[in-house]
Structures are given as structure tokens and as C-alpha cells.
Amino acid sequence: MRCYQILGRVKDYQKTKMGFVFQLEREVVELFILTHDLIRVRMSRTGKFASDRSWAVIKEHWTPVSFEEDLQGDSLAVILPGLIIRINLDVFQISVYRKDSLINHNMELSFRDHAVRCSMDLPDDAKIYGCGEKIGFLNRRGRRLEMWTTDAVPHLPNTDPMYQSIPFFLMMTNKSVIGVFFDNSFRTFFDFGKEVQDKLSFWAEDGELNYYLFTGSDVESILRRYSELTGNMPMPPKWSLGLQQSRYSYYPEKHVREVAAEFRRRDIPCDVIYLDIHYMDGYRVFTWDPKRFPEPKRLLADLADEGFKPIPIIDPGVKIDQDYTVYQEGLAGDYFCRTRSGQYFKGEVWPGEVYFPDFLKASTRRWWGEHDADLIAEGAAGIWNDMNEPSNFLGAIDKDVIHGEDGKEISHGQAHNLYGLEMARATYEGLRRRFPDHRPFILTRSGYAGIQRYAAVWLGDNSSWWEHLAMAVPMLLNMSLSGVSYVGVDVGGFCDDCVPELFARWIAMGCFTPFFRIHSAIDTVDQEPWSFGTEVEEIARFYIKKRYELLPYIYDCFYEASFNGLPVMRPLWMEYLQDTRTHEIDDAYLFGPAFYVAPISRPGSDFRALYLPEGTWYDYWSDKIYEGPQFVVAEAPLSTIPLFVRGGSIIPSEPCMNYVGEKTPDRLIYDIYPATDSEYLHYEDDGSTNRYEAGEYCTTKVSCQKENSSLLIKIGKRIGDYQPQKRSLLLRIHSCQVEMVALDGRELVMVSSLKDLDGVEEGWVNCDNILAVRIMDSDTAKEVSVLGGRKGSS
Ligand code: GLC
């Protein structure tokens, strides 16, 4: 095997507006200082750069930042506030320091044949996270991973690559975190100390060495920057955060109606019902089977009347069939992928022989997006994009397939990882074009960096295995750390038959994941919430209702994700970086800022051990208080998922409904868990249009402060253009004993029960260790003072 050739001596260099250009023997390296915490490195082996194209990056122009240069012998230092980049001009190498501490050492660029590579030191204490959708534990150290979007089933411990290719990772040492985004869509590899224990490297089969180094001082600022670079997730429609029910496939239409009716009959909330491939006529996309679904419009309208949002699946492969309009249009518009010699590339998927649309072409995306929009016009509420790696039953797509506009073609080698991203883009743009005010919902299986701009992602065909329930946590966390917050797995497992105990455990966990969908494969046992007997149905109903109550909180988490790039699902270490014990915890996680979720992922377990980091923790079910750090053995009978709330949390919720928008909620509840002084921002908008983009939303700051023996709860002035409906506010202050409650200095009346509290406009009652205070909501600031204190902890 020929070794990679590293870069030698810098012959000359120039300072530019954005950084430096280094001339070497033949190669040129450009260093861009995009911000004080974001650097980009580009290498050309020929002395000339190809045109600067990225499908992931949306922010191309950055305001130049000032920096100093200091040349000492062969060492050039680039000095920024808080950051020093040292370039060794003898053997081209880059090292980065934050203040005095080295955060990235000996970055070395190299090449071999068409391949390009970068390697750097991997410190002993370094752990690796991110890299999108990968099987395995949270920390990727010691592994080699490949990015080549693949229909990968079954999911085994060594299955790789997977459906998504997101070449972004975080390296965390005990002192610092950095992020690296290798924006090269060819087949890429990442070696995190597998080949050489103390080296990290990444390389691509072809294309340019082009990567970004994020040096922000914490993971939050790195993720925020990454989202700025590759795009924020738009706010999802609120209904899409409810329960979604799917099966491969519900048909004929009578069966779809029955499943939908069963949810309502059994008092189990649900918003979405999916139509998998059997709704189509011979799996021809954008058609309906005339026998199974004779009146699609009517079905979709009837489902909508019951509060269901139907979502049909769409696969990319277009059946080769002379009598099929979509196929004819594809030929006429020249929308399908061709090989270099001009032949259409033929593949095989569900409908038999197919051509694949070339989503790298704007004209194809437009055409496809119009068909997606037609489905919405018929009454579908969103679009589910599947098989978009693209999956081909005949094997890999030929490398000599080319993509993109004439004159700007790229090889399949470069386009492969982008296919799912561009299909999602076609869908998203089609929906936004036709329905500018309608907030799209798109679900995708495949994607590349930036996929968060268009779609939610589910992690493909898992199995109804306990191992896959356990594996969902690190997989979802690493996706969340790769810029994709709206993510979930098939609850209950897709392949194989689920069993009652597994389903009960999975639904409890699914309720605390961003995308909450039950889905199951053809020929497996039924997998609806009522399919596993009354005990499990009861558990499922309870957790699904819990999810609906918590929707205001979950929506706030999405606001943070959408506006600030912060993941909804977070590893514990994100909040407890200094506590190294948290660094590899991947059987528990944080769901938003408040919840610590510790799923049960083994059969027959009615307890589990877990680690609570520093601070006050409330057991969500009993309000028992724990002071961390400590190890706890949590009781977990089948009906209970161990769940804790961080002390200081403020959690908004509302009364449960059968589906989002069924009624206008008459109250907003804030559960307050006093500990240290704390603050929370509650976000609201209409939940379904795009008006929030023009500022039609509002936020309310809620805080809880301790003052001697009293608590002061401030509900700030509502800020912004959105006006919620008239409602009351119910504050539930946990573990609290009181003698007196006042609103803006005026004493409130104590009532004798929770029921009585419902009947008054203002009042309070102490009940089961919780102080409940009811007041009317308004857009002005209010102060509730509570005389009394917090109870003790264990
Ligand atoms: C793929 C999808 C799965 C879907 C099936 C049939 O396997 O991953 O979710 O049900 O195709 O469309």
C-alpha cells in the first residue's frame, strides 16, 4: 500500500482578507479565519482550486475578523482574541491553542492518488462524538467509520455505513472540545485511533481536502456555529410532535380508517397515520391503488376531520412503464440519471425496474416538488421520503452515472451521499413554493450534513430487539450532536416481532425522544398501542398522554434547536462537562434542559442503577429529592421509566388532547422544581404556519428565586407579536410547604382542594406536597410570592 504523501515546506505565503494562502511545491493551502472560533482549511494539489461548491454549507459570506501575524523562524502564529493558530512552515502542519492550552495538535494534510487526508494527534483523554448515524456506543474512539449512504439492514454491532452521511464530529478532552466538519461528499472515512492509537484521521476517496474546525469554548457554541454554517432546522408543525403511527402497510383504506378510529375509541391520542408503499398502484410513486384506495381525497379529508394527519411514503425510483405519466414526464423533462455515455441508469426497487430522478438538477427537483405538492393539495399532511440512499436491489449505482446540470456535472461518487439531501430539498422547496404559509413536515431516511434544513430523520430499519432499544440512545444522541435534532427510531422496532414487555419499555422511552413514531415491517405482529394486552395498552396510553401534556415543553426544546442549534436530546456530559463520569453515559440522557431519562432496556428488570451528577434532582414520579453527585438504584416496574427532573427546572405543559389543535387549551401549567435560582423561556406561535419566520411568535420568561424563606416566581411580560388565546395559569411548585401566597403583593385566597381551585379565577391549595396556584394569564409581568420553603432531600 502506498503511503500518503504529506505536505512539505511552504515556499511562500500571502495574507488575504480572510486568512492566508500558502504555496508549497505544487500544492496550495488556504486558511480562512471565518470567525474567532471557526477556521476553514482547503487544499489543492494542482495549485488551482476547483469552484467552491457545497451542498451542506449555506453561509458562504462571513464578515472578516481582524487577526495578527507573528513570524518567528519557521513558525507563523496567527493571533485572534482567545485563539492562536501556529503553522509550521518547514513541514506544513497546523496546531491550534485556546489561550495557553493546546486544543488541536499537528494537523497534517496529505494525499495519495485521488485521495486526500488530514490527520492530527488524538490525546489520551480524547473522546469522539457525532458522525451522524452510526451503530455503537456514544464514544467513537477506537473505531473507523465510513460515510457512504447505504440501505443497511439488519443493524448489527459492526454494520457500517448507514443511511445518513454526516461528516461532522466532536473531539472532547478533559480540557476542551473542538468540532470538525469534513465537507467532502465523496466516500469518506474517519479513523479515531483504530489504525494508530494516538492519531485521528479522516480522508476521502476523491475531491478536495476541505474542512472546518470549530474551536468554540463549549459544545453549545460549536453546535450553534455548525447550524449557522449548515442551516438551522425550521420549526416543525406542532402536530408532528404528537404520536405518529405507522405500519408497512395499512391497507386497504377501510383498515386505515379502522386503525384511526381505534385510537379515538380507546382514548389514545395520535396525530399522524402513515401510508406505506401499498397505497400506490403497483408501487408507482404519485399514484393511488384504484382498488385499495378508490377515493383518496375523501379518505384524507375524513382522516383530517378526525384530527389525523395522513402522510404517504414516496420512494425515488420511478417505474419504467410507458403508460405511466410520471415516467413519461421524467423522460420528456430529462429528469433521470444517466451514465456518461448518455444511457439512463436502470435500477430495481419495489416497483421492479426503475429510473432514478437526478435530484442534483434544479429542474428535476422542481418537477418532483410539484408532485409532492399535489399530494398535499389532495389532503396529505406531509411526505415521507424513503429508499433515498438511493437503495437499489441490484447493488451499487454505477460510478459512471453523472449528476447535475449540463456543464456542472458531478460523478455519482460525489453525488451519492447527497442524493437523500437533495430529494428532501426537492420536497421541502416544492411544498414551500406551492403553500408558502404551510409549515412542511418531511421525514427522510437518508441525508448529508444540512439535512436538518428540510426534514426529520428516522434511523431506518431497526429490529424489535432489546439491544436495539438500548442502542437507540447513543445513536439518537450522536445524531443530535451532528446538527440533527429532529430524530427518532421506529418505536417497538421495525423488523421482527415485538413482545409486550419490550413494547411497554420502548413506548415509555419513545415518548421522550424528539420524533415519536411507532412503525413495524410487513408480516410482523400488530404493533399498535393496544396490540399487546390491556396492561401494556394502559401503559402506552399513559405515556402517550404524558407526551401530549408535555407538548409545550417539547415545543420549547424545538425552539431552542431551531433558533439556537441546541439539540433536543442531549448527552449528560453536555451539561456536566467537568464531571468525567458523565462522558460515556449512553444508557441515560437529557431530554431538553429539564428531564433526565433512564430507559429500561433489558427484559425482566424492575430496577436499574444510574448516576445523578451534581445538583438537586427530583424523581419525577414521587418528587423525592436527591442531591447529586450520587449513584441511585431506581425502581422501575413495567409501568415506570426512571425519570428525574433537574432542580431549578420550569416545565410548561397543558391538558392532554386527542390530537394537537383539537381544542384551545384553557390553561397553561408551569411545574416548578425549586433548587437554585433559575430561569426559563417559554416560546409560542400558531404551531402550523410559517408566520413565525416573520416574527409572529412570543416568548415569556419565567423565573424562580429564593428569598430567605420564600420563593419568588416571576412571569415576565410576554414579548412578541403572537397572542395566545385567553387562558389561566396553573403554577405547581413541587416539594413546597407554604403559609401564604401573594400575587403582585396581594394575598391570594386559599381553597380547600384542587377541584375547588378549578372553580376560582385566583387561589391556591397545598396538595400532596405540591403547591398549586391559579391565576389568570395576561401579557403583562406578574410576581407570585410564596412564603414557605422547599422540603428536604435524601
Ligand atoms: C423500507 C423502510 C421502511 C418501510 C419499507 C417499505 O424498509 O425503511 O420504513 O416500511 O421500506 O416501504
Side-chain angles (χ1 to χ4, degrees):
M1 192 174 89
R2 250 189 349 104
C3 285
Y4 279 85
Q5 186 179 331
I6 56 167
L7 300 192
R9 193 172 171 79
V10 173
K11 293 169 83 180
D12 192 13
Y13 75 88
Q14 293 95 40
K15 192 169 174 186
T16 64
K17 207 164 76 180
M18 295 301 290
F20 292 87
V21 182
F22 300 94
Q23 314 283 339
L24 291 97
E25 196 56 46
R26 283 189 63 200
E27 308 80 29
V28 186
V29 178
E30 258 193 288
L31 177 75
F32 299 87
I33 319 280
L34 299 178
T35 64
H36 59 279
D37 59 7
L38 180 60
I39 301 161
R40 179 183 177 200
V41 178
R42 258 187 112 184
M43 176 185 84
S44 152
R45 291 163 52 185
T46 57
K48 266 206 219 129
F49 286 100
S51 74
D52 195 7
R53 276 180 96 181
S54 171
W55 286 263
V57 169
I58 54 148
K59 179 155 175 160
E60 287 167 350
H61 302 291
W62 301 79
T63 316
V65 290
S66 59
F67 51 86
E68 309 271 306
E69 69 176 289
D70 178 21
L71 181 64
Q72 308 246 350
D74 275 338
S75 171
L76 171 69
V78 182
I79 304 158
L80 290 133
L83 200 76
I84 300 179
I85 308 163
R86 285 191 190 284
I87 296 132
N88 180 344
L89 302 175
D90 186 27
V91 187
F92 189 85
Q93 270 182 346
I94 308 172
S95 296
V96 183
Y97 297 76
R98 190 183 301 129
K99 296 200 184 101
D100 286 332
S101 90
L102 182 65
I103 56 171
N104 189 280
H105 202 196
N106 294 337
M107 249 189 294
E108 219 167 53
L109 320 185
S110 57
F111 55 86
R112 183 181 79 192
D113 304 325
H114 289 282
V116 288
R117 173 173 169 128
C118 172
S119 60
M120 59 187 83
D121 290 357
L122 181 64
D124 283 351
D125 60 347
K127 298 177 184 91
I128 305 289
Y129 308 98
C131 272
E133 184 183 17
K134 296 287 166 200
I135 307 268
F137 295 108
L138 192 62
N139 177 8
R140 314 281 198 204
R141 191 178 180 131
R143 300 190 56 197
R144 176 179 292 185
L145 302 169
E146 181 180 341
M147 301 293 173
W148 185 252
T149 54
T150 301
D151 182 353
V153 70
H155 301 171
L156 301 177
N158 60 354
T159 304
D160 193 52
M162 300 286 288
Y163 314 90
Q164 295 271 328
S165 290
I166 306 187
F168 171 75
F169 67 88
L170 297 162
M171 176 171 84
M172 180 172 84
T173 66
N174 293 344
K175 285 208 209 109
S176 64
V177 193
I178 59 161
V180 175
F181 171 43
F182 181 23
D183 190 12
N184 177 319
S185 64
F186 283 91
R187 190 192 292 266
T188 54
F189 294 87
F190 293 76
D191 189 302
F192 300 117
K194 181 175 178 176
E195 192 176 314
V196 181
Q197 271 188 20
D198 58 357
K199 284 277 173 206
L200 172 167
S201 47
F202 51 88
W203 63 97
E205 277 185 351
D206 207 334
E208 213 178 69
L209 186 59
N210 169 30
Y211 65 92
Y212 296 79
L213 186 74
F214 299 77
T215 63
S217 56
D218 52 30
V219 67
E220 285 84 355
S221 58
I222 293 175
L223 293 179
R224 209 171 284 135
R225 269 286 181 243
Y226 175 76
S227 288
E228 189 183 356
L229 185 71
T230 63
N232 279 325
M233 170 188 80
M235 280 302 284
K238 199 169 184 184
W239 55 258
S240 73
L241 304 180
L243 177 70
Q244 310 204 5
Q245 179 69 40
S246 184
R247 154 138 221 125
Y248 170 19
S249 306
Y250 289 130
Y251 71 93
E253 75 153 69
K254 183 164 164 283
H255 188 42
V256 180
R257 288 176 187 277
E258 281 163 4
V259 174
E262 208 55 21
F263 273 98
R264 300 293 178 250
R265 196 176 73 75
R266 290 178 188 261
D267 183 31
I268 299 176
C270 181
D271 264 87
V272 180
I273 193 152
Y274 279 83
L275 300 172
D276 206 327
I277 50 175
H278 290 94
Y279 80 87
M280 295 184 240
D281 181 8
Y283 307 132
R284 289 171 186 82
V285 285
F286 305 119
T287 67
W288 292 87
D289 182 303
K291 285 213 183 68
R292 294 172 179 156
F293 292 86
E295 288 183 285
K297 264 195 176 161
R298 182 140 160 223
L299 170 71
L300 300 178
D302 291 349
L303 288 170
D305 284 348
E306 293 301 319
F308 284 94
K309 290 81 186 173
I311 300 185
I313 195 168
I314 289 293
D315 296 332
V318 173
K319 187 175 175 68
I320 299 178
D321 170 359
Q322 311 305 327
D323 301 325
Y324 167 36
T325 332
V326 178
Y327 173 76
Q328 293 161 355
E329 289 171 5
L331 291 184
D334 194 20
Y335 300 137
F336 297 128
C337 295
R338 293 175 187 264
T339 61
R340 277 191 197 282
S341 55
Q343 313 286 321
Y344 286 119
F345 174 77
K346 200 186 275 178
E348 198 181 305
V349 203
W350 307 121
E353 290 192 324
V354 297
Y355 289 155
F356 291 104
D358 180 8
F359 292 115
L360 278 286
K361 267 178 159 174
S363 55
T364 308
R365 288 197 298 274
R366 209 181 163 89
W367 163 64
W368 195 264
E370 288 305 309
H371 279 292
D372 285 320
D374 287 344
L375 268 172
I376 304 292
E378 272 185 284
I383 304 283
W384 170 19
N385 284 346
D386 189 24
M387 307 295 274
N388 49 353
E389 294 69 34
S391 176
N392 176 18
F393 297 165
L394 302 178
I397 291 193
D398 290 358
K399 284 235 169 119
D400 71 340
V401 166
I402 48 167
H403 298 260
E405 271 81 34
D406 289 350
K408 287 208 296 191
E409 292 99 347
I410 59 170
S411 66
H412 184 69
Q414 189 172 7
H416 180 86
N417 280 331
L418 303 170
Y419 196 84
L421 173 78
E422 293 298 288
M423 181 182 182
R425 176 179 172 191
T427 311
Y428 182 83
E429 290 176 351
L431 267 45
R432 287 292 305 244
R433 213 168 33 239
R434 179 90 64 87
F435 308 100
D437 210 25
H438 174 101
R439 211 181 281 187
F441 175 78
I442 298 157
L443 178 66
T444 185
R445 196 169 72 173
S446 189
Y448 180 70
I451 188 65
Q452 71 275 4
R453 301 196 294 264
Y454 309 124
V457 173
W458 101 104
L459 302 187
D461 298 347
N462 62 357
S463 300
S464 298
W465 303 338
W466 286 95
E467 290 84 347
H468 279 190
L469 167 53
M471 196 170 76
V473 177
M475 286 184 82
L476 293 172
L477 288 174
N478 273 321
M479 277 295 281
S480 304
L481 291 172
S482 308
V484 185
S485 281
Y486 201 2
V487 62
V489 296
D490 285 344
V491 169
F494 178 73
C495 307
D496 245 334
D497 295 323
C498 196
V499 293
E501 186 187 358
L502 177 60
F503 187 78
R505 293 305 192 183
W506 210 320
I507 200 109
M509 179 217 167
C511 163
F512 298 100
T513 57
F515 172 68
F516 183 26
R517 181 180 80 151
I518 301 170
H519 183 46
S520 179
I522 194 165
D523 294 333
T524 58
V525 296
D526 286 351
Q527 206 164 287
E528 287 79 40
W530 52 85
S531 306
F532 299 96
T534 40
E535 186 192 3
V536 175
E537 178 180 342
E538 196 49 53
I539 293 170
R541 181 182 296 104
F542 174 81
Y543 281 100
I544 296 166
K545 286 193 168 183
K546 183 60 65 194
R547 169 89 178 191
Y548 275 77
E549 285 167 14
L550 289 171
L551 281 178
Y553 168 77
I554 298 172
Y555 202 55
D556 283 343
C557 297
F558 275 82
Y559 159 74
E560 279 292 339
S562 170
F563 284 65
N564 295 320
L566 291 183
V568 175
M569 212 169 142
R570 307 167 186 181
L572 275 161
W573 63 253
M574 242 182 99
E575 307 282 347
Y576 301 93
L577 200 58
Q578 299 313 321
D579 183 350
T580 51
R581 215 170 234 163
T582 63
H583 290 185
E584 300 206 39
I585 292 181
D586 56 11
D587 62 351
Y589 59 93
L590 297 172
F591 186 59
F595 287 109
Y596 177 123
V597 188
I600 300 293
S601 55
R602 296 185 68 83
S605 314
D606 55 5
F607 63 91
R608 64 160 283 179
L610 50 90
Y611 175 67
L612 296 174
E614 191 178 5
T616 302
W617 295 91
Y618 286 72
D619 180 319
Y620 181 73
W621 308 116
S622 66
D623 268 355
K624 185 172 164 189
I625 294 174
Y626 295 84
E627 291 300 333
Q630 66 165 300
F631 290 94
V632 169
V633 174
E635 298 283 335
L638 189 61
S639 58
T640 306
I641 185 170
L643 188 64
F644 295 82
V645 176
R646 290 169 83 191
S649 296
I650 296 171
I651 303 176
S653 65
E654 66 191 16
C656 180
M657 295 183 197
N658 282 313
Y659 55 89
V660 171
E662 184 190 23
K663 298 176 212 138
T664 307
D666 61 353
R667 72 175 64 169
L668 178 67
I669 302 156
Y670 285 114
D671 278 284
I672 297 168
Y673 293 85
T676 49
D677 289 354
S678 57
E679 214 175 74
Y680 182 83
L681 194 69
H682 179 47
Y683 169 89
E684 292 172 282
D685 64 20
D686 65 26
S688 62
T689 74
N690 295 315
R691 281 172 226 153
Y692 75 98
E693 291 175 343
E696 212 176 290
Y697 63 83
C698 65
T699 54
T700 309
K701 198 185 274 177
V702 185
S703 66
C704 176
Q705 281 164 271
K706 269 204 206 159
E707 282 186 357
N708 302 323
S709 62
S710 63
L711 283 177
L712 188 63
I713 294 146
K714 290 188 185 164
I715 296 156
K717 183 173 163 6
R718 193 180 292 143
I719 310 230
D721 288 344
Y722 178 71
Q723 197 60 35
Q725 299 287 320
K726 190 169 179 294
R727 63 191 173 192
S728 64
L729 288 183
L730 182 65
L731 312 181
R732 288 195 298 225
I733 302 141
H734 291 250
S735 202
C736 191
Q737 284 181 333
V738 296
E739 290 142 30
M740 200 267 279
V741 176
L743 170 65
D744 295 328
R746 179 169 53 81
E747 198 173 329
L748 293 182
V749 179
M750 185 176 95
V751 298
S752 48
S753 69
L754 273 180
K755 198 159 172 274
D756 288 353
L757 195 62
D758 273 346
V760 294
E761 276 214 345
E762 289 177 352
W764 62 275
V765 62
N766 217 349
C767 184
D768 291 340
N769 207 18
I770 296 175
L771 163 68
V773 182
R774 184 178 157 117
I775 55 178
M776 285 316 286
D777 190 24
S778 69
D779 52 10
T780 54
K782 292 170 263 311
E783 271 188 22
V784 175
S785 38
V786 167
L787 203 64
R790 210 191 88 199
K791 283 184 158 182
S793 55
S794 66

